[in-house]
Amino acid sequence: DAGVIQSPRHEVTEMGQEVTLRCKPISGHNSLFWYRQTMMRGLELLIYFNNNVPIDDSGMPEDRFSAKMPNASFSTLKIQPSEPRDSAVYFCASSLSTGGANTQYFGPGTRLTVL
Amino acid sequence: QQQVKQSPQSLIVQKGGIPIINCAYENTAFDYFPWYQQFPGKGPALLIAIRPDVSEKKEGRFTISFNKSAKQFSLHIMDSQPGDSATYFCAASRGRMYSGGGADGLTFGKGTHLIIQP
C-alpha cells in the first residue's frame, strides 16, 4: 500500500504567485482532508470531502484558498495569490469512513515557503 | 476558540517512566478521540483511539483513559523508551450526523513534545 501521496514535498515561491498542492488518497478511501500545521496555530483542519463532495470548508482561511476533488483519487489545494503568512506544512489525509471508525491516514506533507 | 486543550506543552521523562499527557474538550458533539504521534519531518500517525462508551483502552504500551463527565482524556505510555520521543497530539471529531454520513474532520490539541531520556 503506497499510503497517501502528496506533491510537491517542498515548494518555495514568491509572494503573489499561485501555488497548487496535490494529493492522492489511499485507494478505496472515501474521505479526504486537508490540514495545515504551523508552530503558532498547530494542526488546523482546512476542508474535507466525503465521496468527492466538500462537506466543511469553514477552516479555509480566506478566499485565496480553494480546494477541489474532481475524482476519488485526486485532490488539489490552491492558494492564489500566496502570501508569506501562508508558509506552513500542508497535510492531506484520507480515511475509509465505515461504521464508527474515523482513522485518518496522513501523507508526508508539503512544506510551503512563501518569500 | 480552542476546542481541545492539551497539556503539558513539553515533557521529559526517564526511560522506563510513565509519561502522561492530558486533554480536555468542550464540544459535547465529539464522539471519537484519537491520539496521533508525529516524528520530525513526517506526517502524524494514529497511535490509539477511544469512543466515549468506554473509560479505558489499552494497545500495547499505550493506554487512553477517558472521563466523559469531566470531558477529559489522557494518554499513558508504559515502560517508555527513547524511541517514543516525538510530538503527541490528541484530537476529537464529531458523529456522522454532522458530516453528511461520512467521516468528520479532526480538531487537534496543540501537541506535547515528549523526550524520553536514556
Side-chain angles (χ1 to χ4, degrees):
Chain A
D1 192 344
V4 175
I5 299 172
Q6 291 187 246
S7 65
R9 293 293 312 277
H10 301 272
E11 177 81 29
V12 180
T13 190
E14 294 193 345
M15 183 173 63
Q17 296 299 304
E18 177 178 298
V19 174
T20 299
L21 311 182
R22 297 172 175 80
C23 175
K24 177 179 171 56
I26 293 172
S27 177
H29 281 190
N30 59 348
S31 296
L32 183 139
F33 308 82
W34 283 100
Y35 294 90
R36 178 172 68 174
Q37 185 173 34
T38 61
M39 289 293 293
M40 289 296 295
R41 299 178 67 87
L43 272 162
E44 302 175 280
L45 175 68
L46 299 177
I47 185 172
Y48 71 96
F49 300 82
N50 283 330
N51 297 311
N52 311 339
V53 176
I55 301 298
D56 186 351
D57 66 354
S58 60
M60 298 283 262
E62 298 172 33
D63 291 345
R64 299 183 296 105
F65 286 68
S66 63
K68 293 182 179 179
M69 190 164 187
N71 56 63
S73 58
F74 184 66
S75 177
T76 59
L77 178 68
K78 186 176 292 186
I79 308 172
Q80 166 62 22
S82 58
E83 296 183 3
R85 59 190 166 134
D86 302 331
S87 297
V89 180
Y90 290 81
F91 289 104
C92 175
S94 71
S95 73
L96 176 60
S97 56
T98 58
N102 186 11
T103 302
Q104 296 186 20
Y105 298 86
F106 282 71
T110 295
R111 181 173 295 277
L112 173 64
T113 302
V114 183
L115 302 174
Chain B
Q1 180 185 9
Q2 185 184 352
Q3 294 197 57
V4 179
K5 295 183 179 180
Q6 183 171 345
S7 63
Q9 270 189 304
S10 61
L11 185 58
I12 300 175
V13 173
Q14 294 294 315
K15 177 184 174 183
I18 306 174
I20 301 173
I21 305 171
N22 300 298
C23 283
Y25 63 97
E26 300 166 3
N27 191 343
T28 54
F30 288 148
D31 74 346
Y32 174 75
F33 302 89
W35 285 89
Y36 278 78
Q37 178 188 58
Q38 185 179 31
F39 293 104
K42 304 292 186 183
L46 179 68
L47 203 56
I48 186 173
I50 197 168
R51 292 200 171 274
D53 52 345
V54 296
S55 59
E56 185 176 277
K57 183 175 181 180
K58 292 182 180 180
E59 285 186 5
R61 296 184 294 108
F62 301 94
T63 299
I64 299 179
S65 297
F66 188 85
N67 186 328
K68 186 175 180 178
S69 61
K71 292 188 285 186
Q72 295 175 346
F73 58 110
S74 60
L75 176 70
H76 301 229
I77 305 175
M78 310 300 289
D79 188 27
S80 58
Q81 302 296 315
D84 296 329
S85 298
T87 301
Y88 292 80
F89 295 91
C90 62
S93 66
R94 302 168 301 175
R96 292 173 170 274
M97 67 182 76
Y98 297 96
S99 56
D104 189 33
L106 294 170
T107 299
F108 283 89
K110 289 294 178 99
T112 296
H113 183 51
L114 174 65
I115 296 174
I116 307 298
Q117 291 184 331

